[in-house]
Amino acid sequence: NFRTNSGTPEFIVVDTAFNAASGAFSLQVSPLVPAQNDTCTAPAVLPLSTTVAVDFSAALDDSFGSDGGCGYEGYPDVVYAFTAATAGRYRVIAPGGAVSVSRGTCGSACSASLGGHVVDLAAGATIFLIVDGATAPVTLRVDPIVVPANDLCANALPLTLATPAQGTTVGAELDARCNSYYLGPDVF
């Protein structure tokens, strides 16, 4: 799939792979109506905790600005918008594909990942999810994460000598501001 302007000539090259034999081929160029959420102008709304099958059949490979973090060139992409109803931490996953999170204006200030993202959002904040895919089926989902009360250094829990302490790092993020030297999630 490719995007072109009416009246602008496009050149299509038919080539063989490496030392493959030459032979006859058939080529047909047909118009394609892009997916409604193919660009930032009309992102599809992504509901919380709902797995969405991402359809790239009518998607084109679009350029999303010059900051280098939005989307992956050479792959079809579609755009979703997620708005946080409440302030909190959210996990964005796109198994089988890649997802870029864009904050503010769609297509700018992106961070890209092949697996997913964890984002902290204020109530009412909207993020744009630019999902790229190839040939594998891709799904997209956003879920809230329960954040441990002692995730930040400022919320450190007191310890009592000779008393075992129980806790979890599930839902925590790396907080290097409190002299944490490891690269994983931490609590205090």
Side-chain angles (χ1 to χ4, degrees), residues 40-41 43 64 67 70 79-83 100-111 119-122 124-130:
C40 285
T41 57
F64 290 96
D67 69 358
C70 296
V79 182
Y80 289 83
F82 171 74
T83 302
S100 299
V101 174
S102 176
R103 296 174 182 258
T105 303
C106 183
S108 65
C110 288
S111 59
V119 294
D120 291 320
L121 298 174
T126 298
I127 56 173
F128 299 95
L129 308 169
I130 300 167

Side-chain angles (χ1 to χ4, degrees), residues 73-170:
E73 191 169 335
Y75 296 96
D77 44 58
V78 289
V79 182
Y80 289 83
F82 171 74
T83 302
T86 59
R89 184 164 292 158
Y90 296 87
R91 182 179 324 280
V92 178
I93 58 169
V99 63
S100 299
V101 174
S102 176
R103 296 174 182 258
T105 303
C106 183
S108 65
C110 288
S111 59
S113 172
L114 292 176
H117 296 270
V118 173
V119 294
D120 291 320
L121 298 174
T126 298
I127 56 173
F128 299 95
L129 308 169
I130 300 167
V131 186
D132 289 84
T135 58
V138 177
T139 58
L140 179 64
R141 184 177 175 100
V142 175
D143 287 305
I145 299 174
V146 177
V147 179
N150 58 335
D151 182 42
L152 298 175
C153 184
N155 300 332
L157 296 178
L159 294 175
T160 304
L161 287 174
T163 303
Q166 302 295 319
T168 181
T169 57
V170 173

Side-chain angles (χ1 to χ4, degrees), residues 31-62:
L32 173 74
V33 176
Q36 182 176 350
N37 63 329
D38 187 53
T39 65
C40 285
T41 57
V45 174
L46 181 65
L48 181 65
S49 299
T50 302
T51 300
V52 174
V54 180
D55 181 9
F56 297 105
S57 62
L60 301 173
D61 179 24
D62 295 293

